[in-house]
Amino acid sequence: MDAFSHLQAGLRAVLEANAPGSTVEHVVVALPSFSMGETLLAHYATRLPSLEHRYLLGALQVGRTPGAHVVLVTSGPPSGDVLDYYSRLASPDDPDDARRRISCLVVPDASPRGVAAKLLDRPDLLGELRERIGGRPALVEPWNVTEDEVSVALALGAPLNGTHPALWSLGFKSAGRRLFTEAGVPVPSGVEDVHDREQAAAAVALIRRIRPHLDRVVLKQDNSGAGDGNWVVSTRDEDGRRVPRSRLGTDAFGVVPDWFAADLAAGGVVEELLRGRRVSSPSAQVDIRPGGEVRVLATHEQVLGGPNGQVFTGCRFPAEDAYAPELARHAAAVGVRLAGAGAVGRVAVDFVAVRRRGTWSVHGLELNLRKGGTTHPFTALRHLVPGVYDPGRGWVTHADGLPRCYRSSDTVEDPAWVGLPPGRVIEAVAGAGLAFDHGTGTGVVLHMLSALERDGRFGVTAIAPTPAEADEMYAAVPSALAGQRGTSMARAAARRSPSGSAASASRIRW
């Protein structure tokens, strides 16, 4: 047995110590290390610290698990008022105790790399983290697992709640399509293992023979995330005529940028873009425990945006009643296959749901052997409103047996808020009566507040009894900040106007 396998043998015991109600002293090292391709990391380089701070929502577990201590490893420090905010959320009756059990280890490095790689460059900080663990049981909760995360775990002597990097390619788009098929999950017409424009053109020609009315396809890089590795291309010209096979490689794929074509050399998929009277993008979260137990944790409706409508910007929980049970069945079947291959930890499974002639059909799109964009809002829900997921009812609370829903996004923003202190946002939301209320199990939970400094952005999860109420609460957040001005906008406004005032309309980017 190699060193990592020996380390992983202790994962089950630490997970048991980390169960709600446990008084066993233990440490959870939150390691939101986005160990992805260079292109993707370069795109998000300046946002990495705020994206890492989303996982402070995981620190809310200290309110339910008295023995838990959470250390967030991050490349930029959250402010003190943000840590105080999460401490009050976690334990409103004893926030001081929660604050003692929530801490950060800051690795001051602004390079576009995962924080695990940055930590490995700092043996002094690794030593400090070992001292904080202090011989207590510990586990590492990663975003994804590469050799860097394994090296951190070995250096700490703490098992990883994630899949061994040797299995990482199981989550690639091509491998995912094959696994869906093996698990009996329908997939759109498509071709795997595409590496260049010529192969992509040949794939389109093949799909057109199966789907004569094909209009658009999605070109997907095998190893990508957040929809940034997806590109929608048309297979018809401006007059709606099919682009001839001889010109598909140049005409239809001429809009694909050079960086995308270069990254595609590592492999990808061409897939039919399904159409119907209604189309949605649901997903499911699966947890695979040591020993192979598979649990479907939640289903969501993803909110997509960006130039191609493929970039994740937020979500709604739960997924539509009409197909949520089907999503859960498919996700469980995928989880069983992955567990059989040795996968452990979180898995995110993405689907497309299409309504035609009054009937919904569900197709598997891709799977990710890691946490995803729906992980942190669901984490807030399960720690603040304990309950259980029922595919037929959604989240059923332990306290009152009634459902809870939410609307969440990482992209509530306004240029006027650039430089706005997080504390003022927290106060404004509370002043508008929107703050989370433990008594009712409803309200707004904030995250990613450090992004205010860079681009006037923060995250919101609005928890309510019904989807309509969650949407209404979510939409009320920008109004709660009406009139708020950050330092950068205030200085710009002062230069423009003798009165120092400036008008700016807030927006929520979906």
Side-chain angles (χ1 to χ4, degrees):
M1 181 182 290
D2 62 28
F4 183 64
S5 297
H6 179 75
L7 188 66
Q8 290 299 92
L11 177 60
R12 183 196 295 271
V14 188
L15 286 174
E16 290 174 354
N18 191 231
S22 170
T23 58
V24 177
E25 290 280 323
H26 64 281
V27 179
V28 178
V29 178
L31 189 67
S33 184
F34 307 112
S35 300
M36 302 293 287
E38 293 181 6
T39 301
L40 185 63
L41 282 173
H43 179 69
Y44 286 102
T46 58
R47 301 183 194 171
L48 286 178
S50 58
L51 289 169
E52 293 161 3
H53 295 170
R54 297 183 304 183
Y55 293 90
L56 281 169
L57 290 170
L60 296 174
Q61 67 184 277
V62 302
R64 301 180 63 203
T65 310
H69 296 254
V70 177
V71 182
L72 173 70
V73 182
T74 176
S75 51
S79 63
D81 50 6
V82 169
L83 294 175
D84 290 342
Y85 169 71
Y86 288 116
S87 300
R88 293 193 302 272
L89 274 175
S91 183
D93 295 330
D94 193 355
D96 290 340
D97 175 65
R99 185 66 182 82
R100 283 191 293 271
R101 293 188 287 123
I102 300 173
S103 64
C104 295
L105 180 76
V106 179
V107 186
D109 184 336
S111 62
R113 298 184 297 156
V115 75
K118 298 174 183 180
L119 181 59
L120 291 171
D121 287 345
R122 293 291 303 270
D124 58 325
L125 294 179
L126 271 171
E128 180 181 334
L129 189 49
R130 282 193 295 269
E131 290 179 6
R132 293 198 196 183
I133 292 172
R136 293 173 291 186
L139 66 88
V140 178
E141 277 286 359
W143 185 77
N144 66 346
V145 182
T146 67
E147 294 297 340
D148 287 338
E149 287 73 30
V150 169
S151 295
V152 169
L154 289 170
L156 298 176
L160 274 167
N161 189 23
T163 296
H164 193 289
L167 301 177
W168 181 240
S169 61
L170 287 178
F172 286 5
K173 305 301 185 291
S174 294
R177 279 180 56 89
R178 287 190 283 267
L179 190 145
F180 282 136
T181 301
E182 293 168 3
V185 181
V187 295
S189 297
V191 177
E192 302 90 40
D193 301 315
V194 171
H195 295 86
D196 55 39
R197 295 187 186 192
E198 184 53 37
Q199 290 182 358
V204 171
L206 177 61
I207 297 170
R208 285 202 302 205
R209 287 200 291 272
I210 302 169
R211 296 282 187 265
H213 300 294
L214 183 70
D215 181 20
R216 291 184 294 171
V217 296
V218 185
L219 188 57
K220 301 178 179 180
Q221 297 169 1
D222 268 342
N223 187 18
S224 62
D228 285 286
N230 295 358
W231 205 271
V232 176
V233 296
S234 177
T235 64
R236 296 180 181 272
D237 62 22
E238 294 179 355
D239 297 320
R241 294 171 301 200
R242 288 170 45 150
V243 175
R245 167 66 180 85
S246 60
R247 291 186 4 227
L248 275 172
T250 54
D251 289 15
F253 295 95
V255 296
V256 177
D258 291 340
W259 66 264
F260 188 98
D263 287 352
L264 184 64
V269 163
V270 177
E271 198 167 72
E272 173 190 12
L273 185 67
L274 293 176
R275 302 176 64 185
R277 291 186 64 85
R278 286 182 61 193
V279 179
S280 66
S281 301
S283 68
Q285 285 188 37
V286 176
D287 188 45
I288 304 175
R289 308 285 285 187
E293 178 192 356
V294 175
R295 298 187 296 179
V296 177
L297 300 179
T299 59
H300 289 81
E301 296 292 339
Q302 299 181 93
V303 179
L304 305 182
N308 282 291
Q310 296 285 304
V311 178
F312 179 89
T313 63
C315 61
R316 290 181 171 86
F317 170 87
E320 289 275 354
D321 294 344
Y323 50 72
E326 185 178 0
L327 295 178
R329 287 195 303 273
H330 288 331
V334 168
V336 168
R337 288 274 176 173
L338 290 170
V344 176
R346 290 295 180 87
V347 177
V349 188
D350 293 340
F351 299 87
V352 60
V354 181
R355 185 176 175 85
R356 299 189 183 108
R357 295 183 289 278
T359 302
W360 284 99
S361 62
V362 172
H363 296 75
L365 287 185
E366 57 191 65
L367 59 92
N368 298 284
L369 296 178
R370 56 170 172 78
K371 295 177 174 65
T374 61
T375 301
H376 52 283
F378 178 71
T379 297
L381 176 72
R382 68 189 183 94
H383 288 320
L384 294 177
V385 195
V388 63
Y389 177 66
D390 180 334
R393 297 184 61 195
W395 189 252
V396 182
T397 68
H398 294 325
D400 56 22
L402 298 176
R404 293 295 188 277
C405 310
Y406 59 74
R407 167 71 169 97
S408 183
S409 174
D410 295 342
T411 55
V412 179
E413 63 179 318
D414 188 317
W417 302 337
V418 174
L420 190 65
R424 281 173 55 190
V425 175
I426 296 168
E427 292 171 1
V429 169
L434 297 171
F436 182 80
D437 184 303
H438 286 79
T440 63
T442 63
V444 166
V445 181
L446 305 171
H447 63 271
M448 242 175 80
L449 289 158
S450 56
L452 287 161
E453 179 63 29
R454 176 185 176 272
D455 54 12
R457 174 198 312 236
F458 61 98
V460 167
T461 299
I463 302 172
T466 67
E469 291 173 282
D471 282 346
E472 182 179 357
M473 188 183 299
Y474 173 83
V477 172
S479 298
L481 272 67
Q484 298 284 348
R485 293 288 183 271
T487 54
S488 298
M489 182 59 72
R491 286 194 294 268
R495 288 194 297 269
R496 292 197 304 269
S497 168
S499 65
S501 63
S504 177
S506 64
R507 69 186 186 278
I508 298 178
R509 195 166 66 199
W510 296 76

